[in-house]
Coordinates of all heavy atoms in Angstrom, one line a residue:
M19 N 41.0 26.1 -30.5 CA 40.0 26.1 -29.4 C 40.7 26.2 -28.1 O 40.7 25.3 -27.2 CB 39.1 24.9 -29.5 CG 38.5 24.9 -30.9 SD 37.5 23.6 -31.5 CE 37.6 23.7 -33.2
G20 N 41.5 27.3 -28.0 CA 42.2 27.6 -26.7 C 42.8 26.4 -26.0 O 42.6 26.2 -24.8
D21 N 43.7 25.7 -26.6 CA 44.4 24.6 -25.8 C 45.7 25.2 -25.2 O 46.7 24.6 -25.4 CB 44.6 23.4 -26.7 CG 45.4 23.7 -28.0 OD1 45.3 24.9 -28.4 OD2 46.0 22.9 -28.6
G22 N 45.5 26.3 -24.6 CA 46.6 26.9 -23.9 C 47.9 27.2 -24.7 O 49.0 27.1 -24.4
K23 N 47.6 27.8 -25.9 CA 48.7 28.2 -26.8 C 49.4 29.4 -26.2 O 48.8 30.3 -25.9 CB 48.2 28.4 -28.2 CG 47.6 29.7 -28.4 CD 47.5 30.0 -29.9 CE 46.9 31.4 -30.1 NZ 46.6 31.8 -31.4
K24 N 50.7 29.4 -26.2 CA 51.5 30.5 -25.7 C 52.1 31.3 -26.7 O 52.5 30.7 -27.8 CB 52.6 30.0 -24.7 CG 51.9 29.5 -23.4 CD 53.2 29.6 -22.3 CE 52.5 29.6 -21.0 NZ 53.5 29.6 -19.9
L25 N 52.2 32.5 -26.5 CA 52.9 33.4 -27.5 C 54.4 33.2 -27.3 O 54.8 33.2 -26.1 CB 52.5 34.8 -27.4 CG 51.0 35.1 -27.9 CD1 50.6 36.6 -27.5 CD2 51.0 35.0 -29.5
T26 N 55.1 33.2 -28.3 CA 56.6 33.2 -28.1 C 57.2 34.3 -28.9 O 56.5 34.9 -29.8 CB 57.1 31.9 -28.7 OG1 56.7 31.7 -30.1 CG2 56.7 30.6 -28.0
C27 N 58.3 34.8 -28.5 CA 59.0 35.8 -29.2 C 59.5 35.4 -30.5 O 60.1 34.3 -30.6 CB 60.2 36.3 -28.3 SG 61.2 37.5 -29.1
G28 N 59.3 36.2 -31.5 CA 59.6 35.7 -32.9 C 61.1 35.7 -33.0 O 61.6 34.9 -33.9
A29 N 61.9 36.5 -32.3 CA 63.3 36.5 -32.5 C 63.9 35.4 -31.6 O 65.0 35.0 -32.1 CB 63.8 37.9 -32.1
C30 N 63.4 35.1 -30.3 CA 64.1 34.3 -29.5 C 63.5 32.9 -29.4 O 64.2 32.0 -28.9 CB 64.3 34.9 -28.1 SG 64.8 36.6 -28.1
C31 N 62.3 32.8 -29.9 CA 61.6 31.5 -29.9 C 61.4 31.0 -28.5 O 61.6 29.8 -28.2 CB 62.3 30.5 -30.8 SG 62.2 30.8 -32.5
I32 N 61.2 31.9 -27.5 CA 61.0 31.5 -26.1 C 59.6 32.1 -25.7 O 59.2 33.0 -26.2 CB 62.1 31.9 -25.1 CG1 62.3 33.4 -25.2 CG2 63.3 31.1 -25.5 CD1 63.3 33.9 -24.2
P33 N 59.0 31.4 -24.8 CA 57.6 31.9 -24.3 C 57.8 33.3 -23.7 O 58.6 33.5 -22.9 CB 57.2 30.9 -23.2 CG 58.0 29.6 -23.4 CD 59.3 30.2 -24.0
L34 N 56.8 34.1 -23.9 CA 56.6 35.4 -23.4 C 56.2 35.2 -21.8 O 55.4 34.4 -21.5 CB 55.8 36.3 -24.1 CG 56.1 36.4 -25.6 CD1 55.1 37.3 -26.4 CD2 57.5 37.1 -25.8
T35 N 56.5 36.2 -21.0 CA 56.1 36.2 -19.7 C 55.3 37.6 -19.5 O 55.5 38.6 -20.2 CB 57.3 36.3 -18.7 OG1 58.1 37.4 -19.0 CG2 58.2 35.1 -18.8
E36 N 54.3 37.4 -18.6 CA 53.5 38.5 -18.2 C 54.2 39.4 -17.3 O 54.8 39.1 -16.3 CB 52.2 38.2 -17.6 CG 51.3 37.4 -18.5 CD 49.9 37.2 -17.9 OE1 49.8 37.3 -16.6 OE2 49.0 36.8 -18.6
E37 N 54.1 40.8 -17.6 CA 54.8 41.7 -16.8 C 54.0 43.0 -16.7 O 53.4 43.5 -17.7 CB 56.1 42.0 -17.4 CG 57.1 42.8 -16.6 CD 58.5 42.8 -17.0 OE1 59.0 41.7 -17.1 OE2 59.1 43.8 -17.3
K38 N 54.0 43.6 -15.6 CA 53.2 44.9 -15.4 C 54.2 46.0 -16.1 O 55.4 46.1 -15.7 CB 53.0 45.2 -13.9 CG 52.1 46.3 -13.8 CD 50.9 45.9 -13.0 CE 49.9 47.2 -12.8 NZ 48.7 46.7 -12.1
T39 N 53.6 46.8 -16.9 CA 54.5 47.8 -17.6 C 53.7 49.1 -17.6 O 52.5 49.1 -17.6 CB 54.7 47.4 -19.1 OG1 55.2 46.0 -19.1 CG2 55.7 48.2 -19.8
H40 N 54.4 50.1 -17.6 CA 53.9 51.5 -17.6 C 53.9 52.0 -18.9 O 54.9 51.9 -19.7 CB 54.7 52.4 -16.6 CG 54.4 52.0 -15.2 ND1 53.3 52.5 -14.4 CD2 55.1 51.1 -14.3 CE1 53.4 52.0 -13.2 NE2 54.4 51.2 -13.1
F41 N 52.9 52.7 -19.3 CA 52.8 53.2 -20.6 C 52.6 54.8 -20.5 O 51.9 55.2 -19.5 CB 51.6 52.7 -21.4 CG 51.9 51.2 -22.0 CD1 51.5 50.2 -21.2 CD2 52.6 51.0 -23.1 CE1 51.8 48.9 -21.7 CE2 52.9 49.8 -23.6 CZ 52.6 48.8 -22.9
S42 N 52.9 55.4 -21.6 CA 52.5 56.8 -21.6 C 52.0 57.0 -23.1 O 52.6 56.6 -24.1 CB 53.7 57.7 -21.4 OG 53.4 58.9 -21.6
Y43 N 50.7 57.5 -23.2 CA 50.1 57.7 -24.4 C 49.3 58.9 -24.4 O 48.5 59.2 -23.6 CB 49.2 56.5 -24.7 CG 48.5 56.5 -26.0 CD1 49.2 56.4 -27.2 CD2 47.1 56.8 -26.1 CE1 48.5 56.4 -28.4 CE2 46.5 56.9 -27.4 CZ 47.1 56.7 -28.5 OH 46.5 56.7 -29.7
L44 N 49.7 59.8 -25.4 CA 49.0 61.1 -25.6 C 49.0 61.8 -24.2 O 48.1 62.6 -23.8 CB 47.5 60.9 -26.1 CG 47.4 60.3 -27.4 CD1 46.0 60.2 -27.7 CD2 48.2 61.2 -28.5
G45 N 50.2 61.8 -23.5 CA 50.4 62.5 -22.2 C 49.6 61.9 -21.1 O 49.7 62.4 -19.9
H46 N 49.0 60.8 -21.3 CA 48.5 60.1 -20.0 C 49.3 58.8 -19.8 O 49.8 58.0 -20.7 CB 47.0 59.5 -20.5 CG 46.0 60.7 -20.5 ND1 45.0 60.8 -19.5 CD2 46.0 61.8 -21.2 CE1 44.3 61.8 -19.7 NE2 44.8 62.5 -20.9
A47 N 49.6 58.6 -18.5 CA 50.4 57.5 -18.1 C 49.4 56.4 -17.4 O 48.4 56.8 -16.7 CB 51.4 57.8 -17.1
F48 N 49.5 55.2 -17.8 CA 48.8 54.1 -17.2 C 49.7 52.8 -17.1 O 50.6 52.7 -18.0 CB 47.4 53.9 -17.8 CG 47.5 53.6 -19.2 CD1 47.6 52.3 -19.8 CD2 47.6 54.6 -20.2 CE1 47.7 52.1 -21.1 CE2 47.6 54.4 -21.6 CZ 47.6 53.1 -22.1
S49 N 49.3 51.9 -16.4 CA 50.0 50.7 -16.3 C 49.2 49.5 -16.6 O 47.9 49.6 -16.3 CB 50.7 50.4 -14.9 OG 49.7 50.3 -13.9
T50 N 49.7 48.5 -17.2 CA 48.8 47.3 -17.6 C 49.7 46.1 -17.7 O 51.1 46.4 -17.7 CB 48.1 47.6 -18.9 OG1 47.2 46.6 -19.1 CG2 49.0 47.7 -20.1
T51 N 49.2 45.0 -17.6 CA 50.0 43.8 -17.8 C 50.1 43.4 -19.2 O 49.1 43.3 -20.0 CB 49.4 42.6 -17.0 OG1 49.3 43.0 -15.7 CG2 50.2 41.4 -17.0
V52 N 51.3 43.2 -19.8 CA 51.6 42.9 -21.2 C 52.5 41.7 -21.1 O 53.0 41.2 -20.2 CB 52.3 44.0 -21.9 CG1 51.4 45.3 -21.9 CG2 53.5 44.4 -21.3
L53 N 52.5 41.1 -22.4 CA 53.5 39.9 -22.5 C 54.8 40.5 -23.0 O 54.9 41.3 -23.9 CB 52.9 39.0 -23.5 CG 51.6 38.2 -23.1 CD1 51.0 37.6 -24.3 CD2 52.0 37.2 -22.1
R54 N 55.9 40.0 -22.3 CA 57.2 40.5 -22.6 C 58.1 39.4 -22.7 O 58.1 38.4 -22.1 CB 57.6 41.4 -21.4 CG 58.9 42.2 -21.6 CD 59.0 43.2 -20.6 NE 60.1 44.0 -20.6 CZ 61.4 43.5 -20.1 NH1 61.5 42.5 -19.6 NH2 62.4 44.3 -20.2
C55 N 59.1 39.6 -23.6 CA 60.1 38.5 -23.9 C 61.2 38.8 -22.8 O 61.8 39.8 -22.7 CB 60.7 38.7 -25.3 SG 62.1 37.5 -25.5
P56 N 61.5 37.8 -21.9 CA 62.4 37.9 -20.9 C 63.9 37.9 -21.4 O 64.8 38.4 -20.7 CB 62.2 36.7 -20.0 CG 61.6 35.6 -20.9 CD 60.8 36.4 -22.0
S57 N 64.1 37.6 -22.7 CA 65.4 37.6 -23.3 C 65.8 38.9 -23.9 O 66.7 39.7 -23.5 CB 65.5 36.5 -24.3 OG 66.8 36.4 -24.8
C58 N 64.9 39.3 -24.9 CA 65.3 40.6 -25.6 C 64.5 41.8 -25.0 O 64.8 43.0 -25.4 CB 65.1 40.4 -27.1 SG 63.4 40.3 -27.6
G59 N 63.5 41.6 -24.3 CA 62.7 42.7 -23.7 C 61.6 43.2 -24.7 O 61.0 44.2 -24.3
Q60 N 61.4 42.5 -25.7 CA 60.4 42.9 -26.6 C 59.0 42.8 -26.0 O 58.7 41.8 -25.4 CB 60.4 42.2 -27.9 CG 59.3 42.5 -29.0 CD 59.5 43.9 -29.6 OE1 60.5 44.2 -30.1 NE2 58.4 44.6 -29.5
V61 N 58.2 43.9 -26.1 CA 56.9 43.8 -25.5 C 55.8 43.6 -26.5 O 55.9 44.3 -27.6 CB 56.6 45.2 -24.6 CG1 55.2 45.2 -24.3 CG2 57.5 45.3 -23.5
F62 N 54.9 42.8 -26.2 CA 53.8 42.5 -27.1 C 52.5 42.9 -26.4 O 52.1 42.4 -25.4 CB 53.7 41.0 -27.5 CG 54.9 40.4 -28.2 CD1 56.1 40.3 -27.5 CD2 54.8 40.3 -29.6 CE1 57.3 39.9 -28.2 CE2 56.0 39.9 -30.3 CZ 57.2 39.6 -29.6
I63 N 51.8 43.8 -27.1 CA 50.5 44.3 -26.5 C 49.4 43.7 -27.4 O 49.4 43.9 -28.5 CB 50.5 45.9 -26.5 CG1 51.6 46.5 -25.9 CG2 49.2 46.3 -26.0 CD1 51.7 47.9 -26.0
P64 N 48.5 42.9 -26.7 CA 47.5 42.4 -27.4 C 46.5 43.5 -28.0 O 46.3 44.5 -27.4 CB 46.6 41.5 -26.4 CG 47.6 41.4 -25.3 CD 48.5 42.5 -25.3
E65 N 46.4 43.3 -29.3 CA 45.5 44.3 -30.0 C 44.3 44.7 -29.3 O 44.0 45.9 -29.2 CB 45.1 43.8 -31.4 CG 44.7 44.8 -32.4 CD 44.4 44.3 -33.7 OE1 44.8 43.2 -34.1 OE2 43.5 44.8 -34.3
E66 N 43.6 43.8 -28.8 CA 42.3 44.0 -28.0 C 42.6 45.0 -26.9 O 41.9 46.0 -26.7 CB 41.9 42.6 -27.5 CG 40.4 42.6 -27.3 CD 40.2 41.2 -26.8 OE1 40.0 40.4 -27.6 OE2 40.0 41.0 -25.5
L67 N 43.6 44.7 -26.1 CA 44.0 45.6 -24.9 C 44.3 46.9 -25.4 O 43.9 47.9 -24.8 CB 45.0 44.8 -24.1 CG 45.5 45.6 -22.9 CD1 46.0 44.5 -21.9 CD2 46.6 46.5 -23.1
A68 N 45.2 47.0 -26.4 CA 45.7 48.3 -26.8 C 44.5 49.1 -27.4 O 44.4 50.3 -27.0 CB 46.7 48.1 -28.0
R69 N 43.6 48.5 -28.1 CA 42.5 49.2 -28.6 C 41.6 49.8 -27.5 O 41.1 50.9 -27.5 CB 41.7 48.3 -29.5 CG 41.3 49.0 -30.8 CD 40.3 48.1 -31.6 NE 41.0 46.8 -32.0 CZ 40.3 45.7 -32.1 NH1 39.0 45.7 -31.9 NH2 40.9 44.6 -32.4
G70 N 41.4 48.9 -26.4 CA 40.4 49.3 -25.4 C 41.1 50.4 -24.6 O 40.4 51.5 -24.4
R71 N 42.3 50.4 -24.2 CA 43.0 51.4 -23.4 C 43.2 52.6 -24.1 O 43.0 53.7 -23.6 CB 44.4 50.7 -23.0 CG 44.2 49.9 -21.8 CD 43.6 50.6 -20.6 NE 44.0 50.0 -19.3 CZ 44.1 50.6 -18.1 NH1 43.6 51.8 -18.2 NH2 44.5 50.0 -17.1
M72 N 43.7 52.6 -25.4 CA 43.9 53.7 -26.1 C 42.7 54.5 -26.4 O 42.7 55.7 -26.3 CB 44.5 53.4 -27.5 CG 45.9 52.6 -27.4 SD 47.2 53.5 -26.3 CE 48.5 52.2 -26.4
A73 N 41.6 53.8 -26.6 CA 40.3 54.4 -26.9 C 39.9 55.2 -25.7 O 39.3 56.3 -25.7 CB 39.3 53.3 -27.3
E74 N 40.1 54.6 -24.5 CA 39.7 55.2 -23.2 C 40.5 56.5 -23.1 O 39.9 57.5 -22.7 CB 40.2 54.3 -22.1 CG 39.2 53.9 -21.1 CD 39.7 52.9 -20.1 OE1 40.5 53.3 -19.3 OE2 39.4 51.7 -20.2
V75 N 41.7 56.6 -23.3 CA 42.5 57.7 -23.3 C 42.0 58.7 -24.3 O 41.9 60.0 -23.9 CB 44.0 57.4 -23.4 CG1 44.8 58.7 -23.4 CG2 44.5 56.6 -22.3
E76 N 41.7 58.3 -25.5 CA 41.4 59.4 -26.4 C 40.0 59.9 -26.0 O 39.7 61.1 -26.3 CB 41.2 58.6 -27.9 CG 42.5 58.5 -28.5 CD 42.7 57.4 -29.5 OE1 41.5 57.0 -29.9 OE2 43.8 57.1 -30.0
Q77 N 39.1 59.0 -25.5 CA 37.8 59.7 -25.0 C 38.0 60.6 -23.9 O 37.3 61.7 -23.9 CB 37.0 58.6 -24.5 CG 36.2 57.9 -25.7 CD 35.5 56.6 -25.3 OE1 35.3 56.4 -24.2 NE2 34.9 55.8 -26.3
T78 N 38.9 60.4 -23.0 CA 39.2 61.3 -21.9 C 39.6 62.6 -22.5 O 39.2 63.7 -22.0 CB 40.3 60.7 -21.0 OG1 39.9 59.4 -20.6 CG2 40.5 61.6 -19.9
L79 N 40.5 62.6 -23.5 CA 41.0 63.9 -24.1 C 39.9 64.6 -24.8 O 39.8 65.8 -24.7 CB 42.1 63.5 -25.1 CG 43.4 63.0 -24.4 CD1 44.5 62.7 -25.4 CD2 44.0 64.0 -23.4
E80 N 39.1 63.9 -25.5 CA 38.0 64.6 -26.2 C 36.9 65.3 -25.3 O 36.3 66.2 -25.6 CB 37.2 63.5 -27.0 CG 38.0 63.2 -28.4 CD 37.4 62.0 -29.1 OE1 36.3 61.6 -28.7 OE2 38.1 61.5 -29.9
D81 N 36.9 64.8 -24.1 CA 36.0 65.5 -23.1 C 36.3 66.9 -22.7 O 35.6 67.6 -22.2 CB 35.8 64.5 -21.8 CG 34.9 63.4 -22.1 OD1 34.3 63.4 -23.2 OD2 34.9 62.4 -21.4
K82 N 37.6 67.1 -22.9 CA 38.1 68.5 -22.5 C 37.6 69.7 -23.3 O 37.6 69.5 -24.5 CB 39.7 68.4 -22.5 CG 40.2 67.7 -21.3 CD 41.6 67.9 -21.1 CE 42.2 67.1 -19.9 NZ 43.6 67.1 -19.7
Ligands
ZN25 ZN1 62.9 38.0 -27.6

């Protein structure tokens, strides 16, 4: 029940930090805030966010 659990990097066992990152997907570029490991640089994209954004881009392409 959401007691502030933080995601940690599976490799480094340290808390992830939020970072604005640029993505390119299917030729579309957009930026969003993702969780990133400050040590190894591994980026974790919440499934929810990925699904929403990716679906948005796919719809944009389908409109053409
Ligand atoms: Zn790491």
Side-chain angles (χ1 to χ4, degrees):
M19 307 173 199
D21 53 339
K23 83 167 177 178
K24 280 204 169 181
L25 286 173
T26 55
C27 176
C30 312
C31 292
I32 57 174
L34 303 176
T35 57
E36 289 191 349
E37 189 165 302
K38 190 121 181 175
T39 308
H40 291 272
F41 286 96
S42 176
Y43 180 71
L44 295 179
H46 285 246
F48 56 93
S49 63
T50 189
T51 301
V52 297
L53 291 170
R54 186 169 180 274
C55 174
S57 178
C58 70
Q60 176 69 52
V61 171
F62 295 78
I63 305 173
E65 195 184 327
E66 204 177 278
L67 183 150
R69 224 185 301 150
R71 282 299 213 156
M72 299 306 173
E74 229 174 77
V75 172
E76 278 162 12
Q77 276 174 10
T78 304
L79 290 179
E80 279 169 15
D81 283 345
K82 284 193 179 168

